[in-house]
Amino acid sequence: MVLSVSVQNHSSLRSAIGFASVAAIGCTLWFFFSFPQLTTLHLSIQREEALRLAASYLKDQSGVDPALYQTAVVFSQDDEADRYLQKALGARAGEFFSSYDYEFSRWAVRFFRQGEKEEYYLLLGAGDGRVLRYLHTIDDNAARQDTNVNDARALAERVLSGDPRVDLLRYELKDVATTRLDHRTDYTFSWKHRDVDIPWTVGKKDGTAKLMLEAVVSGGEVLSYHRAHFVVPDGFTRYLDRETEAGRLLSLLFFIIYFVILLSAIYQAVRYLHHLAIREARPFLNWMSTGFFVLMVLGVGNLFETFVMEYPTSQLLWPFLSRTLLQVLMPIFFITVGLLLVAIGGECLRQRSSESGKKDGFLYYIRSSFFSRDILRRVGIGYAVGSLLLGVQAAILVFGQKTVGVWSESYWITQFSSAYVPALAALVLSIKASLTEEVTYRAYVIPQLKAWTGNWVVAVIVSALVWGLGHAGYLIFPTWFRCVEMTVLGVILAITYIRWGLVSVIVAHYFFDVFWSSAGCLWGQVRPLYFYSSLGIVLLPFIWGVVSFWINGTEKERLFTLRLNRKETFNADILRAFVREKLLEGEGLDSLRQACLNNGWDPAIVQDVFSKEIAKKA
């Protein structure tokens, strides 16, 4: 007995060392290949300060009382500049931002009133809060006093020079345009930076990107100005659209496949809906789906200001917001229904299969406990695999950059900065992705493919390919490379699911997504509250594991507690008589049990009958 415990402890120690080594390898790869792109993040200015700075600027420079306006504040990035520089300069894109003090991350602040065209829009640098762009929108019929082009230019230059980082001597006048309206004349000026002329192909035959200053003057007022406008050539925009079309076509193929998966899950759920095992799992799955939907709704509310930013003032505000929210909530509802269906379908498949592991689905934990000490071990495996995913992804992207010129957007690093609570937004996305995708592509598709093909290798590769196709819409170029990248990660997740079960694979996927979704708050310059809340959601599964270890719930499955109805009791009696007859003929219990499952008998009834026969023989 002592020897057995010693061997078990030694095996556990070796496993822990092995997973720690896997995590270390993943983190090392990520640190060398992906971390450098985070070093340029400067997010010192947060939402409240951005609004305060914008309101102060509006009051001091324009004499406008901000209190008379409704506001919307969202975080934005110059995606156009990011795409172009990633394509043209690759890893050296960060050098451009630092060399020209270009604020890639910005806060957009809007001051508006319902029913009025006049409004104010400001872009502020997320690193230092300086105003990068100012726009005063007025009606075309609004009158302004006349002025000449020279006075208008002098006014524009004076305003642009208000930022000490703008050196007009480094710019040359590019264009002057005059727009004559009924009651005013608008002058538009643009200046080009003398040193910025960046081609995106060999030579300059397809155009070059330019760094511009722009201003519009009407009367004695600057209606708008842009202190850092990165202008890309039209040829690049058209090229990007063609490249994106390939991703759209791959996404269309994925949606067709996903529809087939959903139909298959509906078939499984309907056919076996009244099996006792599914009846036992259904209450938990219903509550899980309900909680999932509520969390998604909270996530929508957390990003409320992004909807306000899109509000056209010619419409009524609250009807517009109501319509917009309904349009957002309907897909969430269907995603929730889809999650429930594939979860039920997966449990059906596992109950009918003798090759599925007990911990491959939810039913084992429903019958035992979600708070056993084994949970901590599986959570630890999930973190190790998640770390490996980060490292493998980083290595694949570097390989792609060097071999086929892969380049990608980096919007996902700070994509949730617009949220009232960035950590909540990252949590919502990570739970949505990890739960829906792992329940669908691992816990349902893998056993279904295994049932159809009889081959685990085929099931792993095909499920990973389908999952990879589902990411074709992400802006990485060439678009097919994202499918390759995610297919490789999908194989790792599939192996994790088959070897260590559902908890480990969900935690691995969750950690991968929540880490990247929180990267801006974890590695950028942010206030302590945002850092610690982001760290908290990254550690959420670990907290669950520690609590589970302390509670030490049972790992032993409880027997069915559902009462049989008259029809089920009748079927159980028939099966019992059939089994006893076959046993008298010399049939084995195991082969009989599998034959009953293969012929569509309710697994719960099969277990009830055979457990009693086994007890009798014992």
Side-chain angles (χ1 to χ4, degrees):
M1 180 66 179
V2 174
L3 180 61
S4 174
V5 172
S6 176
V7 170
Q8 185 177 3
N9 289 339
H10 183 66
S11 176
S12 299
L13 179 60
R14 283 194 307 170
S15 297
I17 293 173
F19 284 116
S21 301
V22 167
I25 291 171
C27 290
T28 302
L29 289 171
W30 177 86
F31 182 81
F32 279 107
F33 295 140
S34 292
F35 178 73
Q37 64 185 302
L38 298 175
T39 57
T40 59
L41 281 180
H42 298 288
L43 308 175
S44 303
I45 305 298
Q46 301 303 318
R47 170 191 300 279
E48 298 80 5
E49 189 171 1
L51 178 58
R52 182 186 63 77
L53 290 172
S56 176
Y57 181 90
L58 198 60
K59 186 174 183 180
D60 295 341
Q61 301 297 321
S62 302
V64 175
D65 183 1
L68 300 176
Y69 291 83
Q70 292 176 280
T71 61
V73 185
V74 301
F75 189 87
S76 68
Q77 293 186 162
D78 192 342
D79 294 332
E80 196 170 58
D82 179 36
R83 295 167 189 162
Y84 190 91
L85 292 171
Q86 291 288 343
K87 170 63 175 174
L89 303 180
R92 295 183 294 114
E95 296 177 10
F96 173 86
F97 295 127
S98 58
S99 298
Y100 294 95
D101 200 19
Y102 190 86
E103 281 278 8
F104 169 64
S105 301
R106 299 99 174 267
W107 283 102
V109 185
R110 183 188 183 195
F111 297 86
F112 66 94
R113 287 190 286 213
Q114 180 177 276
E116 296 184 14
K117 184 174 182 178
E118 183 179 27
E119 63 176 72
Y120 297 88
Y121 177 88
L122 292 88
L123 277 180
L124 291 83
D128 56 15
R130 62 191 172 112
V131 177
L132 305 173
R133 187 184 181 194
Y134 168 86
L135 174 62
H136 179 197
T137 302
I138 60 175
D139 194 280
D140 287 348
N141 290 319
R144 290 294 186 273
Q145 66 182 17
D146 290 334
T147 188
N148 61 61
V149 66
N150 293 327
D151 290 342
R153 177 181 172 181
L155 176 60
E157 291 177 344
R158 187 165 64 252
V159 170
L160 290 170
S161 300
D163 186 341
R165 303 186 193 187
V166 175
D167 183 2
L168 283 174
L169 295 177
R170 301 180 68 182
Y171 290 82
E172 60 182 356
L173 187 65
K174 179 72 174 177
D175 188 36
V176 179
T178 303
T179 304
R180 300 191 184 281
L181 302 173
D182 290 341
H183 304 292
R184 71 174 191 270
T185 299
D186 294 348
Y187 297 99
T188 302
F189 303 93
S190 60
W191 292 263
K192 173 188 172 297
H193 198 291
R194 300 177 191 274
D195 302 328
V196 179
D197 204 27
I198 306 173
W200 62 282
T201 54
V202 177
K204 298 184 178 182
K205 61 185 179 66
D206 295 315
T208 61
K210 300 169 178 62
L211 186 60
M212 308 289 292
L213 298 177
E214 297 170 351
V216 177
V217 178
S218 184
E221 177 187 358
V222 175
L223 291 179
S224 72
Y225 65 78
H226 207 318
R227 286 177 172 145
H229 187 195
F230 191 87
V231 181
V232 305
D234 180 65
F236 177 77
T237 303
R238 293 179 61 81
Y239 159 79
L240 194 68
D241 192 54
R242 289 193 299 271
E243 286 291 307
T244 307
E245 181 63 19
R248 288 192 285 262
L249 291 174
L250 290 173
S251 294
L252 177 61
L253 175 61
F254 163 75
F255 282 119
I256 294 171
I257 296 173
Y258 178 76
F259 185 67
V260 173
I261 293 171
L262 202 56
L263 287 178
S264 171
I266 292 172
Y267 170 77
Q268 296 289 344
V270 171
R271 182 178 179 185
Y272 299 101
L273 190 62
H274 297 293
H275 279 207
L276 294 184
I278 306 308
R279 282 168 52 185
E280 186 179 15
R282 213 161 56 213
F284 168 79
L285 296 178
N286 288 339
W287 278 109
M288 180 188 74
S289 301
T290 302
F292 175 85
F293 182 78
V294 170
L295 186 62
M296 295 303 107
V297 172
L298 287 176
V300 171
N302 194 30
L303 294 167
F304 180 75
E305 297 229 0
T306 59
F307 307 127
V308 179
M309 185 62 78
E310 300 299 323
Y311 162 64
T313 55
S314 57
Q315 301 179 23
L316 295 175
L317 177 59
W318 286 107
F320 166 79
L321 292 176
S322 300
R323 291 192 302 270
T324 303
L325 289 173
L326 281 175
Q327 291 170 1
V328 173
L329 292 177
M330 286 303 293
I332 291 176
F333 173 77
F334 287 115
I335 290 171
T336 304
V337 172
L339 171 64
L340 179 61
L341 289 172
V342 294
I344 292 175
E347 296 300 333
C348 293
L349 289 169
R350 277 181 290 280
Q351 290 302 307
R352 292 161 50 209
S353 171
S354 61
E355 296 183 61
S356 294
K358 291 196 304 181
K359 300 178 183 181
D360 290 352
F362 292 108
L363 193 57
Y364 165 79
Y365 298 101
I366 293 170
R367 291 174 178 170
S368 57
S369 173
F370 283 93
F371 294 94
S372 67
R373 290 192 168 178
D374 183 61
I375 291 292
L376 180 60
R377 171 176 168 269
R378 294 182 183 274
V379 165
I381 293 171
Y383 274 108
V385 174
S387 301
L388 179 64
L389 293 177
L390 290 170
V392 170
Q393 182 198 42
I396 290 173
L397 286 176
V398 169
F399 174 78
Q401 289 166 359
K402 293 182 177 180
T403 55
V404 293
V406 168
W407 52 285
S408 64
E409 291 190 345
S410 54
Y411 73 93
W412 35 268
I413 297 175
T414 55
Q415 61 183 322
F416 294 125
S417 297
S418 288
Y420 294 117
V421 184
L424 175 60
L427 175 69
V428 169
L429 177 135
S430 304
I431 288 179
K432 175 186 175 183
S434 60
L435 193 58
T436 59
E437 294 177 19
E438 296 313 315
V439 168
T440 301
Y441 303 106
R442 254 62 72 177
Y444 179 77
V445 171
I446 287 178
Q448 182 65 275
L449 288 171
K450 173 60 174 63
W452 286 344
T453 66
N455 190 306
W456 282 113
V457 175
V458 172
V460 166
I461 294 175
V462 174
S463 66
L465 279 170
V466 173
W467 187 64
L469 271 178
H471 294 79
Y474 288 68
L475 292 181
I476 183 170
F477 305 95
T479 50
W480 57 264
F481 192 84
R482 174 48 57 99
C483 298
V484 173
E485 169 203 340
M486 299 310 288
T487 297
V488 174
L489 300 188
V491 169
I492 296 174
L493 288 170
I495 293 171
T496 302
Y497 170 72
I498 293 171
R499 178 64 181 84
W500 293 289
L502 188 60
V503 168
S504 293
V505 78
I506 288 178
V507 170
H509 193 154
Y510 172 87
F511 173 66
F512 179 84
D513 281 346
V514 81
F515 182 87
W516 274 126
S517 299
S518 304
C521 292
L522 290 173
W523 304 102
Q525 298 177 18
V526 298
R527 64 175 57 176
L529 174 63
Y530 287 179
F531 170 79
Y532 287 113
S533 59
S534 297
L535 183 62
I537 62 169
V538 169
L539 296 176
L540 206 56
F542 175 71
I543 295 171
W544 172 35
V546 171
V547 170
S548 299
F549 188 86
W550 179 69
I551 292 177
N552 193 19
T554 180
E555 294 183 38
K556 184 178 180 181
E557 291 184 85
R558 294 184 295 269
L559 294 176
F560 288 114
T561 56
L562 294 174
R563 297 179 59 184
L564 301 181
N565 59 32
R566 290 178 60 186
K567 178 181 177 181
E568 291 159 348
T569 302
F570 180 75
N571 289 338
D573 290 340
I574 292 176
L575 181 61
R576 189 173 292 107
F578 171 78
V579 168
R580 287 173 179 172
E581 181 179 336
K582 289 296 181 180
L583 286 174
L584 291 174
E585 295 175 4
E587 292 269 1
L589 275 174
D590 290 339
S591 60
L592 266 176
R593 179 181 179 278
Q594 192 57 47
C596 292
L597 291 172
N598 293 340
N599 284 279
W601 279 91
D602 185 332
I605 292 177
V606 171
Q607 178 171 322
D608 179 72
V609 170
F610 278 83
S611 61
K612 291 178 179 177
E613 292 302 320
I614 291 171
K616 282 177 60 178
K617 291 187 71 174

